[in-house]
Amino acid sequence: MKFHQIFRAALNEPKKLAAFRLLPIGKVFKYVFIFVALFTLISFTRFYVDDTVLFENSPDLIEHGKTIGWLINPMAFMLQFVISTFYIFVRISIFAYIGSLLLSARKRRADYLQIWRTSAIAMTVPVLLTIGFDFSPAIGSYGLFLSSIVHFIYIFAATKYYPTQPLPRR
């Protein structure tokens, strides 16, 4: 499947979201890293635009900025890339664990890697919401909570379409 097909299906098709558990892990990683790159570019752009305000507030930072010079921006980009990657992968893993608990409660059959893949694709809307909430100062403090609820709803909807566990034999 192509990126845009996965993206459209991740927005409003829980049945396909559950079917994405069968995608190759490389395809899922590519999909996730597109969002990591988007998250990093937006964060870095905001840093780059606002860094003059940051440096104007402290004369020590201005002096330190002059000594480092051109290294500030590549270092800031790499640091933001690492932080974004860590944030998104930890979030996917936590919601995959919650999804595995949901699967066992709903008597559905899957292993952790399959629900991890579903959680990775299900993070599409929550990450877009997180980016949007970042630009809205009124929602900023509740943004993580709201996007987490949305992520949980997507995983809950997808677990409905996982295969059921076979009945135990007597």
Side-chain angles (χ1 to χ4, degrees):
M1 292 187 89
K2 295 184 178 170
F3 173 80
H4 71 289
Q5 293 171 323
I6 297 172
F7 181 77
R8 272 189 289 168
L11 293 178
N12 61 358
E13 295 182 45
K15 190 171 186 176
K16 283 189 179 179
L17 195 59
F20 290 148
R21 72 184 184 276
L22 303 174
L23 280 177
I25 196 71
K27 177 72 87 174
V28 175
F29 277 170
K30 285 179 189 176
Y31 185 80
V32 169
F33 271 105
I34 288 172
F35 283 98
V36 168
L38 176 69
F39 206 71
T40 302
L41 285 173
I42 290 171
S43 178
F44 180 72
T45 303
R46 291 193 65 180
F47 165 78
Y48 190 72
V49 169
D50 293 338
D51 69 348
T52 55
V53 175
L54 177 71
F55 287 128
E56 287 174 358
N57 291 336
S58 173
D60 294 336
L61 282 177
I62 292 172
E63 185 63 34
H64 189 65
K66 288 179 183 175
T67 58
I68 295 178
W70 63 273
L71 285 176
I72 290 176
N73 290 334
M75 289 175 63
F77 183 80
M78 290 304 297
L79 183 62
Q80 287 172 342
F81 182 77
V82 169
I83 290 171
S84 297
T85 303
F86 181 75
Y87 169 74
I88 289 176
F89 275 89
V90 166
R91 182 182 178 121
I92 290 169
S93 299
I94 288 170
F95 279 98
Y97 178 73
I98 292 169
S100 66
L101 295 176
L102 272 172
L103 286 170
S104 64
R106 297 180 95 177
K107 306 277 192 262
R108 301 291 176 165
R109 187 179 65 227
D111 60 357
Y112 181 77
L113 184 57
Q114 289 178 339
I115 193 67
W116 193 93
R117 290 174 182 153
T118 299
S119 178
I121 304 298
M123 67 89 200
T124 302
V125 173
V127 166
L128 293 175
L129 284 174
T130 301
I131 290 169
F133 291 155
D134 192 33
F135 288 104
S136 173
I139 302 176
S141 60
Y142 300 108
L144 179 63
F145 179 71
L146 293 173
S147 65
S148 296
I149 289 173
V150 170
H151 201 161
F152 177 77
I153 290 169
Y154 271 83
I155 291 174
F156 184 78
T159 58
K160 175 184 174 186
Y161 297 102
Y162 271 70
T164 57
Q165 291 180 348
L167 295 173
R169 293 185 181 183
R170 295 182 189 192

